[in-house]
Amino acid sequence: MKKIIVLVCALFLGGCTAKFAYNNVSWLVYWYLDDYIELNNEQEDQFDVMLDNWMTWHRNEELPRYQAQLDDIIYDIQTNNITEQSIRSHRERAKQHWVRARTHLAPDLVSLGTNLSPEQIEQFFSNLEKKNKDEEEEIVERKELPEREQIKKWTKRNQKGIKKWIGKLSDEQKQIIASFHNEFEATGLHWLAYQR
């Protein structure tokens, strides 16, 4: 509960934006990491150096790529060039952002991992499985709801998620999101199996 209060206050004071999170990643990442593993002082020092290097790389190399893609998306919207092919292309470009980040960070994370004690490794996997079980319980609980309630919750969750990305939704946009429920195939349990 304390974490939630601190986060709400910090977001309120910081403007509640992705920019806030990005510019404060150095302390936010430890907050997140603490849910999974406790690093010793030497490991924290090693991680701090890695994180500084990652953020420098990300600002210099990746943010310009994101901006270029966003400019292309805006151009496609303005020129009414929203086709299945353009959407696939943007989706593939977005996927490549993740692949580059994963590829860049992986060697450092492997290096850090070799310095973990057996107790830390056990702690990490135990906490990861606890999170997986919590998520699994939520998925199962949602599936046990009456269909009407499932649709309502699905619609609300997805409208909220899209609102984070594009801002306030019009009634028409809300209707469009709601209309996709029947075409949506839940993959939460598959994702958890993949994680495990």
Side-chain angles (χ1 to χ4, degrees), residues 102-162:
R102 183 185 63 202
T103 302
H104 188 82
L105 275 59
D108 287 343
L109 292 173
V110 168
S111 172
L112 182 64
T114 61
N115 294 327
L116 297 177
S117 69
E119 293 79 16
Q120 286 174 307
I121 293 169
E122 176 62 32
Q123 176 190 38
F124 174 75
F125 283 108
S126 174
N127 287 332
L128 186 60
E129 182 55 21
K130 182 183 180 300
K131 297 272 187 193
N132 287 340
K133 284 183 179 177
D134 290 345
E135 180 68 23
E136 187 174 38
E137 286 174 15
E138 287 179 27
I139 292 169
V140 169
E141 285 174 13
R142 282 195 305 260
K143 282 187 167 193
E144 291 174 350
L145 293 171
E147 184 176 2
R148 183 177 165 138
E149 189 65 24
Q150 286 182 36
I151 292 170
K152 184 178 175 182
K153 284 187 176 285
W154 181 93
T155 302
K156 185 176 180 179
R157 190 173 62 252
N158 283 280
Q159 287 174 349
K160 184 178 177 182
I162 292 173

Side-chain angles (χ1 to χ4, degrees), residues 12-65:
F12 177 75
L13 295 172
C16 195
T17 64
K19 183 178 178 181
F20 168 81
Y22 191 83
N23 289 330
N24 291 284
V25 73
S26 58
W27 66 269
L28 289 171
V29 75
Y30 277 107
W31 196 24
Y32 177 78
L33 199 58
D34 282 346
D35 287 346
Y36 294 95
I37 192 168
E38 188 176 327
L39 300 178
N40 64 34
N41 290 340
E42 184 181 318
Q43 292 163 338
E44 282 187 11
D45 291 344
Q46 181 184 4
F47 187 78
D48 285 341
V49 170
M50 290 176 182
L51 184 59
D52 286 343
N53 291 336
W54 297 337
M55 293 304 293
T56 299
W57 166 79
H58 196 265
R59 277 193 171 97
N60 295 332
E61 301 291 326
E62 291 304 295
L63 289 183
R65 288 182 170 133

